[in-house]
């Protein structure tokens, strides 16, 4: 009896100690290290039919800063044999993308079955097929030469498994690549060529070394592209998938390390998602975690690790359905990862020109992390990231990657930051993640709780923005920010402005002390005229005191202010 009691007490002690260990505060500090600067091409996605010709879908996709849409050019479809060219489907897909205002990036998919060859002796073993491969590459580039600047050559060639069908050696694949790239650049030497869209860092880096060792190899390899899916087993736990998110940071680092000073300046993540599964028990099936609230946390980790690791372009797999960010047509309802994507842009400021800054943490890295290719990116329970936004503020993003207890974090206030707001995405705040949980003046540290599987953002603001281009200076051509009317006002006032192009607009009202009192706009908006009505109330709906206020508009780096007078 006494022994059983002792064992029970010991078990309780271990549980309490374990919880205390996991509940221990972590302290986060933003450093001056700059890992990467986000470019306009960073966000992209995989094409899906009957989507980009639908305004309901494109209105939602426009808010995600998409630039490039990846389209497969399957050689077995557009050139099934030496005497046949079928362009209708590809033409339609390309036209759909161009009409919706996006750029397209073609993937010249090598196919496995073609007009000649077998699984044991694939088509690239036949001289006549090699001739048609070159012909197909030339004709593809020539057909779209006025609208294309980038072609991915290959998609997941089997260079690793000699005992499986359609095996191709790294050397053969490199030679096949050179044949296609030469023909593409005969059409237009400015079209960027790269590949091979194999998995992760090592396989793509190893392939690129073979390409670079070919005669004039450096002349024909403009970028390296890879895909990274984190699960191929429906029984993988959520925590296992989150453990692997560091691969998005390690893969580009591995490629750079392998290629050294010969590494192309552009690295592309051309397909990514939590799970690659599309069948289960012999039936079509996709992992529901791709589109769940958990999938939203995964997406945030994937994008931030990719940005920190220096991927220049990311192409999500894919637009709609079980792998997508929107549900099926015709409604195209936003799925959970859609909100995380928009949350990172609108709230964290992950957009063109933003810098990925370093973070230090007092948390010890997780032991036995599943590193890839001998790399060693630290994996934490609370994974910290920092973004220096284009408005001068800093966002600290804390991702609780696991199902353990809520963890408290203390974030040291970065130099020059005077105010903060806390936001959170988790399964209880998928659509409400854009609403602040707390706002205040910044002191030395900001403490917050990070629940399991959550993405928390502490959005720090710089010193009072009052006076930045205040009531003076002209906006760039096509932009207009008019004085509110009536002014003074006592019930409501109209604020009108015009945008020359689709822009991310943030409009904030400040009092004379420089404190934010109302966020009026924080979203991507289309070109054209816009009007906002302000009723003199703060974020909580309380009427403000009479006085002078300042409205600041930030439209894609254009920052201007207007003074307004409120009289109750």
């Amino acid at each position: 009896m006494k022994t059983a009691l002792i064992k029970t007490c010991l078990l309780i002690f271990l549980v309490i100690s374990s919880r205390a260990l996991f509940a221990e505060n972590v302290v986060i500090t933003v450093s001056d290290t700059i890992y990467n600067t986000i470019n306009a091409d960073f966000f992209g996605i995989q094409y899906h039919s009957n989507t980009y010709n639908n305004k309901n879908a494109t209105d939602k996709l426009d808010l995600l800063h998409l630039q490039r849409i990846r389209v497969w050019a399957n050689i077995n479809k557009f050139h099934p044999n030496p005497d046949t060219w079928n362009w209708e489907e590809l033409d339609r897909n390309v036209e759909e993308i161009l009409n919706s205002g996006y750029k397209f990036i073609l993937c010249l998919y090598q196919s496995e079955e073609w007009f000649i060859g077998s699984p044991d002796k694939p088509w690239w073993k036949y001289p006549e097929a090699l001739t048609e491969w070159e012909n197909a590459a030339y004709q593809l580039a020539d057909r779209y030469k006025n609208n294309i600047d980038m072609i991915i050559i290959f998609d997941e060639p089997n260079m690793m498994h000699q005992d499986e069908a359609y095996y191709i050696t790294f050397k053969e694949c490199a030679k096949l690549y050179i044949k296609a790239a030469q023909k593409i650049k005969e059409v237009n030497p400015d079209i960027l060529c790269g590949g091979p869209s194999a998995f992760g860092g090592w396989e793509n880096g190893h392939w690129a070394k073979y390409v670079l060792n070919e005669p004039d190899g450096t002349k024909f390899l403009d970028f390296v592209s890879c895909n990274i899916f984190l699960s191929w087993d429906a029984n993988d736990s959520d925590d296992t998938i989150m453990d692997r998110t560091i691969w998005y940071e390690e893969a580009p680092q591995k490629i750079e390390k392998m290629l050294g000073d010969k590494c192309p300046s552009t690295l592309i993540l051309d397909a990514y998602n939590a799970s690659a599964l599309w069948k289960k028990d012999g039936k079509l099936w996709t992992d529901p975690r791709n589109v769940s609230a958990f999938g939203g946390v995964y997406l945030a980790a994937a994008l931030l690790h990719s940005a920190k690791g220096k991927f220049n372009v990311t192409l999500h797999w894919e637009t709609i359905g079980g792998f997508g960010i929107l549900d099926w047509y015709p409604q195209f309802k936003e799925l959970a990862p859609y909100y995380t994507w928009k949350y990172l842009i609108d709230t964290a400021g992950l957009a063109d020109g933003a810098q990925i800054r370093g973070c230090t943490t007092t948390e010890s890295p997780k032991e036995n992390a599943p590193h890839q290719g001998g790399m060693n990116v630290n994996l934490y329970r609370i994974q910290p990231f920092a973004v220096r936004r284009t408005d001068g503020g800093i966002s600290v993003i804390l991702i609780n990657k696991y199902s353990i207890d809520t963890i408290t974090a203390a974030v040291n206030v970065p130099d020059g930051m005077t105010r903060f707001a806390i936001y959170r995405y988790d399964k209880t705040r998928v659509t409400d993640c854009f609403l602040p949980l707390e706002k205040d003046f910044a002191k030395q540290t900001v403490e917050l709780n990070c629940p399991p599987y959550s993405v928390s953002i502490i959005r720090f603001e710089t010193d009072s923005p009052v006076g930045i281009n205040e009531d003076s200076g002209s906006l760039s051509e096509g932009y207009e920010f008019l004085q509110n009317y009536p002014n003074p006002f006592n019930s409501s006032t109209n604020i009108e402005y015009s945008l020359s192009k689709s822009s991310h607009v943030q409009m904030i009202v400040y009092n004379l002390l420089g404190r934010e009192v109302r966020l009026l706009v924080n979203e991507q908006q289309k070109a054209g005229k816009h009007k906002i009505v302000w009723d003199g109330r703060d974020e909580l709906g309380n009427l403000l005191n009479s006085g002078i206020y300042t409205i600041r508009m930030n439209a894609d780096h254009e920052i201007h202010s207007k003074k307004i007078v409120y009289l109750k």
Side-chain angles (χ1 to χ4, degrees):
M1 183 71 179
K2 186 180 291 185
T3 302
L5 180 62
I6 292 173
K7 287 183 177 179
T8 301
C9 291
L10 180 60
L11 180 61
I12 293 172
F13 171 77
L14 289 173
V15 170
I16 293 174
S17 298
S18 174
R19 286 182 176 271
L21 174 64
F22 286 122
E24 180 181 319
N25 287 16
V26 296
V27 180
I28 309 295
T29 303
V30 178
S31 74
D32 293 330
T33 304
I34 301 173
Y35 285 96
N36 194 12
T37 299
I38 303 300
N39 65 79
D41 278 352
F42 182 72
F43 295 108
I45 206 163
Q46 172 71 27
Y47 169 83
H48 197 287
S49 60
N50 299 313
T51 302
Y52 293 86
N53 57 357
N54 186 296
K55 191 173 185 300
N56 186 24
T58 56
D59 281 350
K60 295 172 181 178
L61 295 172
D62 284 347
L63 304 180
L64 302 183
H65 290 203
L66 293 177
Q67 292 292 320
R68 294 186 183 275
I69 314 299
R70 180 177 183 254
V71 182
W72 271 19
N74 189 332
I75 195 171
N76 196 22
K77 285 188 175 182
F78 75 84
H79 187 42
N81 59 65
D83 299 319
T84 307
W85 297 91
N86 297 326
W87 295 108
E88 183 179 355
E89 180 182 352
L90 195 53
D91 282 350
R92 184 173 62 250
N93 296 345
V94 167
E95 183 180 10
E96 193 177 309
I97 292 168
L98 293 174
N99 288 342
S100 62
Y102 300 118
K103 295 185 286 187
F104 69 98
I105 176 171
L106 285 175
C107 175
L108 175 55
Y109 177 45
Q110 70 278 5
S111 302
E112 292 176 335
E113 298 179 0
W114 204 8
F115 66 92
I116 194 172
S118 65
D120 295 329
K121 188 179 179 182
W123 62 258
W124 46 83
K125 300 288 188 181
Y126 295 85
E128 58 267 44
L130 294 178
T131 298
E132 292 308 316
W133 168 252
E134 291 179 309
N135 193 17
Y138 184 92
Q139 294 298 331
L140 182 71
D142 188 61
R143 190 168 189 85
Y144 303 111
K145 61 187 175 184
N146 295 325
N147 295 304
I148 195 167
D149 62 353
M150 188 175 284
I151 296 179
I152 299 170
I153 300 172
F154 301 129
D155 184 80
E156 295 189 322
N158 175 22
M159 301 180 288
M160 297 286 287
H161 306 287
Q162 189 170 358
D163 57 335
E164 295 182 6
Y166 300 105
Y167 171 71
I168 184 171
T169 67
F170 282 95
K171 189 176 182 66
E172 282 180 308
C173 196
K175 289 181 176 296
L176 200 59
Y177 169 86
I178 292 291
K179 287 179 179 293
Q182 283 178 323
K183 291 299 180 181
I184 291 168
K185 288 183 177 291
E186 277 183 24
V187 174
N188 182 354
D190 293 330
I191 295 178
L192 303 179
C193 295
S197 188
F199 176 76
W202 184 89
E203 188 176 352
N204 291 285
H206 195 61
W207 170 86
K209 288 177 75 172
Y210 274 93
V211 172
L212 293 170
N213 285 334
E214 288 291 312
D216 293 325
T218 55
K219 178 180 173 182
F220 296 111
L221 186 65
D222 300 304
F223 62 86
V224 178
S225 67
C226 69
N227 71 76
I228 303 177
F229 294 83
L230 301 186
S231 175
W232 309 265
D233 185 343
N235 296 317
D236 280 339
S237 70
D238 293 351
D239 286 359
T240 295
I241 290 175
M242 294 307 292
D243 276 349
R244 295 169 178 165
T245 54
I246 55 175
W247 293 355
Y248 293 106
E249 190 172 336
E250 291 180 332
Q253 292 179 357
K254 181 64 176 179
I255 294 170
E256 282 193 330
K257 184 176 181 180
M258 292 178 72
L259 302 183
D261 58 5
K262 291 185 178 180
C263 185
S265 59
T266 298
L267 299 177
I268 298 177
L269 177 63
D270 64 19
Y272 69 97
N273 215 316
S275 170
L277 291 174
W278 59 278
K279 275 188 179 182
K280 184 179 181 181
D281 300 328
K283 298 179 181 179
L284 293 177
W285 181 87
T286 53
D287 194 321
R289 291 177 292 188
N290 286 339
V291 297
S292 68
F294 169 85
V297 179
Y298 151 81
L299 180 69
L303 284 172
L304 289 165
H305 276 301
S306 295
K308 191 175 178 184
K310 297 185 182 179
F311 273 123
N312 306 94
V313 179
T314 60
L315 304 171
H316 184 269
W317 184 273
E318 61 162 284
T319 307
I320 65 174
F323 291 103
I325 54 173
L326 299 177
D327 209 348
W328 293 101
Y329 33 68
Q331 287 80 18
F332 297 105
K333 178 179 171 55
E334 300 93 333
L335 298 171
Y338 174 91
Y339 290 102
T340 323
W341 190 326
K342 190 170 183 295
Y343 175 58
L344 289 180
I345 293 171
D346 292 353
T347 305
L350 190 68
D352 182 21
Q355 295 175 341
I356 304 299
R357 292 292 184 96
C359 274
T360 61
T361 175
T362 57
E363 181 186 340
S364 298
K366 188 174 180 180
E367 296 182 356
N368 302 316
H371 297 293
Q372 189 186 63
M375 305 309 291
N376 195 32
V377 168
N378 287 331
L379 175 65
Y380 297 105
R381 293 171 298 148
I382 299 295
Q383 196 83 41
F385 300 91
V387 174
R388 178 83 181 196
R389 304 188 306 274
T390 55
D391 65 1
I394 290 177
S395 295
V396 176
I397 305 101
L398 305 180
I399 302 181
N400 186 339
K401 292 183 172 182
Y402 301 107
S403 54
I404 58 176
D405 294 339
T406 295
I407 300 173
T408 301
V411 179
N412 290 320
V413 176
D415 291 342
M417 302 295 118
T418 58
R419 288 158 288 114
F420 73 90
I422 296 175
Y423 302 80
R424 181 185 301 139
Y425 170 99
D426 63 16
K427 64 182 180 181
T428 68
R429 292 178 58 82
V430 172
T431 59
D432 291 340
C433 60
F434 307 99
L435 303 176
L437 294 167
E438 178 185 348
K439 286 186 175 184
D440 207 341
F441 285 108
K443 297 178 182 177
Q444 291 183 326
T445 60
V446 174
E447 286 198 359
L448 70 159
N449 292 324
C450 302
Y453 296 136
S454 64
V455 183
S456 300
I457 296 175
I458 309 92
R459 183 182 170 97
F460 291 102
E461 304 288 346
T462 58
D463 291 332
S464 171
V466 176
I468 299 177
N469 292 328
E470 184 176 334
D471 298 314
S472 65
S474 59
L475 289 155
S476 297
E477 184 178 355
Y479 286 91
E480 191 173 26
F481 183 30
L482 301 176
Q483 185 66 51
N484 64 300
Y485 65 91
N487 188 37
F489 74 99
N490 62 10
S491 59
S492 66
T493 188
N494 300 288
I495 306 156
E496 295 184 349
Y497 55 98
S498 298
L499 306 174
S500 64
K501 62 180 181 179
S502 176
S503 306
H504 183 267
V505 177
Q506 185 185 75
M507 190 174 293
I508 301 174
V509 182
Y510 297 91
N511 63 20
L512 280 176
L513 297 176
R515 182 169 185 173
E516 179 182 331
V517 296
R518 182 72 180 270
L519 175 64
L520 298 176
V521 182
N522 187 23
E523 65 182 14
Q524 188 78 11
Q525 295 187 335
K526 287 185 171 292
K529 294 182 178 180
H530 299 266
K531 183 171 79 170
I532 296 295
V533 178
W534 181 44
D535 58 5
R537 296 178 184 271
D538 64 15
E539 291 284 3
L540 300 177
N542 301 315
L543 284 172
L544 295 168
N545 294 325
S546 298
I548 299 174
Y549 293 85
T550 298
I551 296 182
R552 183 185 70 164
M553 184 180 82
N554 181 346
D556 279 356
H557 321 325
E558 293 278 354
I559 302 175
H560 283 254
S561 302
K562 300 289 184 184
K563 280 187 176 178
I564 62 177
V565 179
Y566 174 47
L567 299 174
K568 276 207 273 190

